[in-house]
Amino acid sequence: MSIFPADSSGRTERARAAQEVHMRQLSGVDASFLHMEDSRMTGHVGGLIILDPSTAERPVDLETMKEYVAARIPALPPLRWRLAEVPLGIDLPYWYDDHDVDLDFHVRSLALPAPGNQQQLIEQVSRIHARPLDRAHPLWELYVIEGLEGGKVAIYTKLHHAAIDGKAGRMILSTLLSPDPSCPAPQPPAEMPASETRPSEMEMLTRGWMGLLGHPGKSVELMLKGAAEWQKSMQHFGYAALGEARTKMLDNPPVPAPRLSFNKSMTARRNWAYGTVPLSDVKKIKESLGCTINDVVMAICAGALRQWLLDHDELPEAPLRAMVPVSIRTAEQADTAGNQVSAMIAELPTHLTDPLARVEAVHASMSRAKEDFAALPAALLQEFAQFAAPAAAELVARTAASLRLADTVALPFNLVISNVPGPREPLYYAGALMEANYPVSMISDGMGLNITVQSYRDNMDFGLISCPELIPDLERIIDYIVAEAAALAAV
Amino acid sequence: MSIFPADSSGRTERARAAQEVHMRQLSGVDASFLHMEDSRMTGHVGGLIILDPSTAERPVDLETMKEYVAARIPALPPLRWRLAEVPLGIDLPYWYDDHDVDLDFHVRSLALPAPGNQQQLIEQVSRIHARPLDRAHPLWELYVIEGLEGGKVAIYTKLHHAAIDGKAGRMILSTLLSPDPSCPAPQPPAEMPASETRPSEMEMLTRGWMGLLGHPGKSVELMLKGAAEWQKSMQHFGYAALGEARTKMLDNPPVPAPRLSFNKSMTARRNWAYGTVPLSDVKKIKESLGCTINDVVMAICAGALRQWLLDHDELPEAPLRAMVPVSIRTAEQADTAGNQVSAMIAELPTHLTDPLARVEAVHASMSRAKEDFAALPAALLQEFAQFAAPAAAELVARTAASLRLADTVALPFNLVISNVPGPREPLYYAGALMEANYPVSMISDGMGLNITVQSYRDNMDFGLISCPELIPDLERIIDYIVAEAAALAAV
């Protein structure tokens, strides 16, 4: 299934001209999400949307979803980008725009066996999410999952972080979802760029050598192996904010985080858990205690993790430390692509027994962490980047790894907690009401737990990801999160 | 879900003693199925069984299948073997017996969305089959696929060829399947060997060095790269029959096969197609023409491929050449493990227009090919090894590749056709009648089509595998196979 009708007349010439215009080189940060991938680590992020198909005129199935995506993909360049790697790895790879995206490959379907419960959905999503994307195609997949209890349909999407930064992620969601249940397909742009031909190996090699001539030191750095070298090249290619944060970390060695059972090397497997907390409960706590919504989310996580650590007889005396991704995008950068994210490290008061004291302690800890970012406009700290969040998580984790290697500094944090404000109004996917939107994020060695939260309508949707060898009972943490929120709201 | 109840008393000592007895090193041929794996090539074989659950007392679902497999796995050592690779790759890897097989990992389920037709089943099986097995676990997976039209259930199994030779494959099938629909679970052996502990990296390294001392030239050969070197080491480690065949090939350079569109490099994707031909039709042709069942199978394939090649305007003047795996296991070798297989190369008379003339030509070609194996007992040529078949295919393909590399000899064959006689009596899987048993085999670069046939009850079940970039319309070939069989039977 091709997106655009074939245009046999003069296409080669047009494609060649277009190639000059549209081919784009990945930044060092974007490429890092490709380079990090190995037999255990993947560089993609995902999301699971629960739909109520009863509001849609047509069934939500494989065929209607292919039509729906086909109508929107002209407005979604990152879903058409194919990777062209430079032979011998002498330069950063390029994207080229391919209009012959094979939707039969990208859009897939399966069903849950009866009864189609939450545990079965979790097993399927965990298994699909653990698998790497195929680099011979644009780096995304979409699964229509039928057979859920109550006649619901789930849509799992997997997008590679090398192609999807925060801006692109929001654009994709806002293009695929509509506040209008009748969801007319967007008109394709009047002037569609011609499809680009895949550059030959020789062309890519030539580009690579040309790039080398321009940056003689670049390839040497790229070819250096090891975390310390990786980090040097990361700094070389920009990512200034993290570079500053790192300098600050070196000047003021961070308080080491207590080492927990999930702060270890992971396997290739993943497990995932999800749950929902009413936004009204969170707001009630926020208003009665005079803190932020994010403070409440962090305090809920602290209470849940405390209980889980007690269950496993490994509650440390010191508080846990959480990495919290924040956007550092300024107004001037609003239209630029690339990962404009950094991170704060905040204490999670798992050592405190009183739930209210935990909220106060989080509030104080977050205020201190924000002061470390005083040079940045305070308002920006509230704008959490949705899809970019794991980027910061990963980069900080890698930085931590390289610091450990270089300076034997201890683990700076135990887990990532990312809170992404989302839309309040109901959204529709092919006419079907979106009931929930659960994040499926990423973990890495030493950072075996990620909690990402997205608000939507009157709920906060939690998605937890780990590795079953590190946290076999991940669903217990989400149960404790839901219970902690209810307990705090009842105080 | 562990297979054996934990035995805390003295297990370490018993395990250590057992390790001396049960740890086994892979042969060079077995290990070759691991070494061949890369981002496009996998070393496993599969099968798809269609069950009628209406004959079973309990539903055929994930939970009953886990119980069923758990009851049988004590009698199936290869399903408990975990791989222990020797650090630095200085020696062949070992298997160790692990009784803590995690059936929650190995036994999985999914369903087809409605209507659950053949095309949907094919898409799921193709996708699952394309993915490599996880080497951190014993090298097998079993999927219960529900939601098929007519209330049927499919079981897809994936087994790594490094662990499963022909004998082991037949043993697994005969242990999992039963001619008795009430299928009592087999009694576990009175004396179960204790589970073996995974050897440490240091132990494996020590074993590797010890092995090196015994075979000083071995590691050097193993570390040599390239197909020619691989083939040398393959000969070094035995596989005498193929070695002889190769010598014969070098003495009498084989007739090159015409190069077709599917004799190219493949991608990581697979497509699969299946279909059934009535055994009565095949027997009718066999008896009226005085040939063998295998001759008829080959002639049916020749007719189908001729039509497909005509459709694609690439019918060569010369006949196609098919590699046909044969067992060379002697009566004395009946109890030995390892791949006792070789291969014949026979002409497929795709150049002949008359269906009956094609049967006669196949019969003559197969007779000539068998004469090349005159030194082997003729009766053995009929005993086709079921699971070992792709082993021969792969090894001959690799040999072909190395010959091309070394001597620029042309492609010796276009495809693999493997015909595996199976049981006539009905068999049951957890009480559910097995209706069909379709093979899901493997392909490799240059050998982009494999046709494997298994007989069962009154049918011959065909399974075709390719890569969608090489043969996008694979289902058309199976349609032509079914039509050719019907046409021949009607003559």
Side-chain angles (χ1 to χ4, degrees):
Chain A
M1 187 169 177
S2 177
I3 299 165
F4 300 104
D7 170 18
S8 59
S9 64
R11 170 159 160 179
T12 312
E13 288 74 5
R14 278 172 54 201
R16 200 167 290 142
Q19 189 176 314
E20 298 304 313
V21 179
H22 296 288
M23 197 147 168
R24 58 195 69 71
Q25 192 168 27
L26 277 73
S27 75
V29 176
D30 291 343
S32 72
F33 289 104
L34 295 168
H35 296 147
M36 72 168 61
E37 290 195 326
D38 58 25
S39 60
R40 296 180 297 115
M41 175 80 203
T42 52
H44 58 256
V45 287
L48 188 87
I49 283 169
I50 306 286
L51 298 179
D52 177 2
S54 69
T55 63
E57 282 185 20
R58 299 171 61 197
V60 180
D61 60 17
L62 183 65
E63 288 315 310
T64 55
M65 196 51 69
K66 278 185 198 165
E67 285 176 30
Y68 186 82
V69 174
R72 279 153 186 81
I73 210 166
L76 294 170
L79 300 195
R80 304 191 307 260
W81 286 349
R82 245 189 232 229
L83 199 65
E85 294 190 80
V86 178
L88 314 180
I90 56 169
D91 199 0
L92 292 165
Y94 287 77
W95 296 118
Y96 67 101
D97 197 330
D98 181 6
H99 291 178
D100 293 323
V101 176
D102 179 5
L103 291 185
D104 293 334
F105 172 81
H106 291 279
V107 183
R108 307 170 175 192
S109 75
L110 57 91
L112 302 181
N117 60 26
Q118 180 164 342
Q119 182 55 35
Q120 292 172 298
L121 182 60
I122 282 172
E123 279 183 21
Q124 291 294 345
V125 171
S126 301
R127 199 175 296 150
I128 299 170
H129 193 70
R131 295 196 296 262
L133 287 160
D134 185 343
R135 295 193 185 181
H137 299 265
L139 293 170
W140 63 279
E141 293 170 0
L142 185 153
Y143 292 78
V144 181
I145 305 176
E146 301 184 35
L148 277 66
E149 277 174 335
K152 301 296 161 64
V153 176
I155 307 287
Y156 164 79
T157 47
K158 184 195 282 191
L159 304 156
H160 206 288
H161 225 307
I164 309 296
D165 66 346
K167 185 180 159 231
R170 280 189 295 274
M171 183 184 74
I172 288 171
L173 262 197
S174 67
T175 307
L176 288 177
L177 295 165
S178 165
D180 175 5
S182 65
C183 73
Q187 291 299 310
E191 280 286 314
M192 276 306 300
S195 184
E196 293 157 18
T197 51
R198 194 213 184 287
S200 70
E201 293 288 292
M202 195 46 69
E203 280 180 282
M204 289 309 296
L205 197 54
T206 308
R207 271 176 191 266
W209 289 121
M210 296 297 282
L212 269 190
L213 293 175
H215 316 267
K218 195 167 161 184
S219 70
V220 177
E221 282 197 11
L222 277 172
M223 283 188 274
L224 289 174
K225 301 293 179 199
E229 285 75 13
W230 186 92
Q231 191 216 358
K232 274 184 221 145
S233 68
M234 185 182 79
Q235 284 191 297
H236 181 85
F237 287 115
Y239 207 65
L242 188 67
E244 281 167 26
R246 179 186 161 274
T247 309
K248 199 177 285 180
M249 282 162 75
L250 286 176
D251 290 346
N252 308 297
V255 180
R259 191 165 293 272
L260 302 171
S261 57
F262 55 78
N263 295 126
K264 283 187 196 160
S265 291
M266 62 189 182
T267 73
R269 294 171 66 193
R270 295 292 176 274
N271 57 352
W272 180 69
Y274 67 92
T276 294
V277 164
L279 188 57
S280 56
D281 280 2
V282 175
K283 285 194 167 164
K284 190 176 155 195
I285 304 163
K286 168 201 160 196
E287 276 149 28
S288 72
L289 296 177
C291 57
T292 70
I293 283 187
N294 198 53
D295 291 341
V296 180
V297 166
M298 302 277 288
I300 289 170
C301 292
L305 285 166
R306 174 184 166 82
Q307 189 54 52
W308 184 86
L309 291 165
L310 282 171
D311 291 351
H312 291 77
D313 204 19
E314 64 161 326
L315 181 67
E317 284 183 25
L320 266 55
R321 297 177 70 79
M323 198 279 272
V324 183
V326 293
S327 168
I328 53 165
R329 193 181 295 270
T330 63
E332 296 81 52
Q333 293 171 321
D335 285 336
T336 60
N339 289 296
Q340 302 288 343
V341 287
S342 187
M344 300 186 296
I345 294 179
E347 284 185 4
L348 264 196
T350 43
H351 60 308
L352 300 180
T353 52
D354 176 32
L356 294 180
R358 286 197 292 263
V359 181
E360 282 162 20
V362 162
H363 184 64
S365 169
M366 289 297 286
S367 301
R368 278 197 305 277
K370 285 172 192 170
E371 280 164 19
D372 290 347
F373 280 79
L376 293 165
L380 283 177
L381 293 171
Q382 303 301 322
E383 188 213 311
F384 291 89
Q386 180 178 10
F387 278 89
E394 187 49 41
L395 289 167
V396 173
R398 295 253 154 181
T399 307
S402 72
L403 287 173
R404 273 214 306 285
L405 242 184
D407 309 336
T408 59
V409 170
L411 197 70
F413 58 92
N414 298 98
L415 74 157
V416 173
I417 301 179
S418 182
N419 177 17
V420 186
R424 294 298 310 273
E425 78 272 26
L427 293 175
Y428 297 84
Y429 207 102
L433 174 66
M434 179 168 90
E435 296 194 335
N437 180 12
Y438 300 106
V440 191
S441 191
M442 55 165 75
I443 57 170
S444 60
D445 278 348
M447 192 197 73
L449 176 61
N450 175 302
I451 301 178
T452 301
V453 192
Q454 273 172 191
S455 58
Y456 170 58
R457 293 202 300 176
D458 298 323
N459 287 321
M460 302 202 78
D461 295 330
F462 282 70
L464 278 64
I465 190 149
S466 184
C467 160
E469 319 277 328
L470 296 179
I471 306 186
D473 57 344
L474 189 64
E475 68 287 353
R476 201 190 282 195
I477 300 179
I478 191 76
D479 290 346
Y480 288 148
I481 283 174
V482 172
E484 179 79 6
L488 269 174
V491 170
Chain B
M1 187 169 178
S2 176
I3 298 165
F4 299 104
D7 170 18
S8 60
S9 63
R11 170 160 159 177
T12 312
E13 288 74 7
R14 278 172 53 201
R16 199 166 290 143
Q19 189 176 313
E20 298 304 312
V21 180
H22 296 288
M23 196 148 169
R24 57 196 69 71
Q25 192 168 26
L26 277 73
S27 75
V29 176
D30 291 343
S32 72
F33 290 104
L34 295 169
H35 296 147
M36 72 168 61
E37 290 194 326
D38 58 25
S39 61
R40 296 180 297 114
M41 174 79 203
T42 52
H44 58 256
V45 287
L48 188 87
I49 283 169
I50 306 286
L51 298 179
D52 177 2
S54 69
T55 64
E57 282 185 21
R58 299 171 61 196
V60 180
D61 60 17
L62 183 65
E63 288 315 310
T64 55
M65 195 52 69
K66 277 186 199 166
E67 286 176 29
Y68 186 82
V69 174
R72 279 153 187 80
I73 210 166
L76 294 170
L79 300 195
R80 304 191 307 260
W81 287 348
R82 245 189 232 229
L83 199 64
E85 294 191 81
V86 178
L88 314 180
I90 56 169
D91 199 0
L92 292 165
Y94 286 77
W95 297 118
Y96 67 101
D97 197 331
D98 181 6
H99 291 177
D100 292 323
V101 176
D102 179 4
L103 291 186
D104 293 334
F105 172 81
H106 291 279
V107 183
R108 307 170 175 192
S109 75
L110 57 91
L112 302 181
N117 60 25
Q118 180 165 341
Q119 182 55 35
Q120 292 172 299
L121 182 60
I122 282 172
E123 278 183 22
Q124 291 294 345
V125 170
S126 301
R127 200 175 295 150
I128 299 170
H129 193 70
R131 295 196 297 261
L133 287 160
D134 184 343
R135 294 193 186 181
H137 298 265
L139 293 170
W140 63 279
E141 292 170 0
L142 186 152
Y143 292 78
V144 181
I145 305 176
E146 301 184 36
L148 277 66
E149 277 173 336
K152 301 297 162 64
V153 175
I155 307 286
Y156 164 79
T157 48
K158 184 195 282 191
L159 304 156
H160 205 287
H161 224 308
I164 309 296
D165 66 346
K167 185 180 159 232
R170 280 189 296 275
M171 184 184 74
I172 288 171
L173 262 197
S174 67
T175 306
L176 288 177
L177 295 165
S178 165
D180 176 5
S182 65
C183 75
Q187 292 298 310
E191 281 286 313
M192 276 306 300
S195 185
E196 293 157 18
T197 51
R198 195 213 183 289
S200 70
E201 293 288 292
M202 195 45 69
E203 280 180 283
M204 289 309 296
L205 197 55
T206 308
R207 272 176 191 266
W209 289 120
M210 296 296 283
L212 270 189
L213 293 174
H215 316 267
K218 195 166 161 186
S219 70
V220 178
E221 281 196 12
L222 278 172
M223 283 188 274
L224 288 174
K225 300 292 179 199
E229 285 75 12
W230 186 92
Q231 191 216 357
K232 273 184 221 146
S233 68
M234 184 182 80
Q235 284 190 298
H236 181 84
F237 287 115
Y239 208 65
L242 188 68
E244 281 167 25
R246 178 185 162 273
T247 309
K248 199 177 284 179
M249 282 163 76
L250 286 176
D251 290 346
N252 307 297
V255 180
R259 192 166 292 271
L260 303 171
S261 57
F262 55 79
N263 295 125
K264 283 187 197 160
S265 292
M266 61 189 182
T267 73
R269 294 171 66 193
R270 295 292 176 273
N271 57 352
W272 180 69
Y274 68 92
T276 294
V277 164
L279 188 57
S280 57
D281 280 1
V282 175
K283 285 194 167 164
K284 190 176 156 195
I285 305 163
K286 169 202 160 195
E287 276 148 29
S288 72
L289 296 177
C291 58
T292 69
I293 283 187
N294 197 54
D295 291 341
V296 180
V297 167
M298 302 278 288
I300 289 170
C301 292
L305 285 166
R306 175 184 166 82
Q307 189 55 53
W308 184 86
L309 291 165
L310 283 170
D311 291 352
H312 290 77
D313 204 19
E314 64 161 326
L315 181 68
E317 285 183 23
L320 266 55
R321 297 176 70 79
M323 198 279 270
V324 183
V326 294
S327 169
I328 53 165
R329 192 182 296 269
T330 64
E332 296 81 52
Q333 293 171 320
D335 285 336
T336 60
N339 289 295
Q340 302 289 343
V341 287
S342 187
M344 300 187 295
I345 294 178
E347 284 185 3
L348 264 196
T350 43
H351 59 308
L352 300 180
T353 52
D354 176 31
L356 295 179
R358 287 198 291 263
V359 181
E360 282 162 21
V362 163
H363 184 65
S365 169
M366 288 297 285
S367 301
R368 278 197 305 276
K370 285 173 192 169
E371 279 164 20
D372 290 346
F373 280 79
L376 292 165
L380 283 177
L381 293 171
Q382 302 303 321
E383 188 213 311
F384 292 89
Q386 180 178 9
F387 278 90
E394 188 49 42
L395 288 167
V396 173
R398 295 254 154 179
T399 307
S402 73
L403 287 173
R404 274 213 307 286
L405 242 184
D407 309 336
T408 60
V409 170
L411 197 70
F413 58 92
N414 298 98
L415 74 157
V416 173
I417 301 179
S418 182
N419 176 17
V420 186
R424 293 298 309 274
E425 78 272 26
L427 293 174
Y428 297 84
Y429 207 102
L433 174 67
M434 179 168 90
E435 296 194 334
N437 180 12
Y438 300 106
V440 191
S441 192
M442 56 166 75
I443 57 170
S444 60
D445 278 349
M447 192 197 73
L449 176 61
N450 175 301
I451 301 178
T452 301
V453 192
Q454 273 172 191
S455 58
Y456 170 59
R457 293 202 300 175
D458 299 323
N459 287 321
M460 302 202 78
D461 295 330
F462 282 69
L464 278 64
I465 190 149
S466 184
C467 159
E469 318 277 328
L470 296 179
I471 307 185
D473 57 344
L474 189 64
E475 69 287 353
R476 201 190 281 195
I477 300 179
I478 191 76
D479 290 346
Y480 287 148
I481 284 174
V482 172
E484 179 79 7
L488 269 174
V491 170

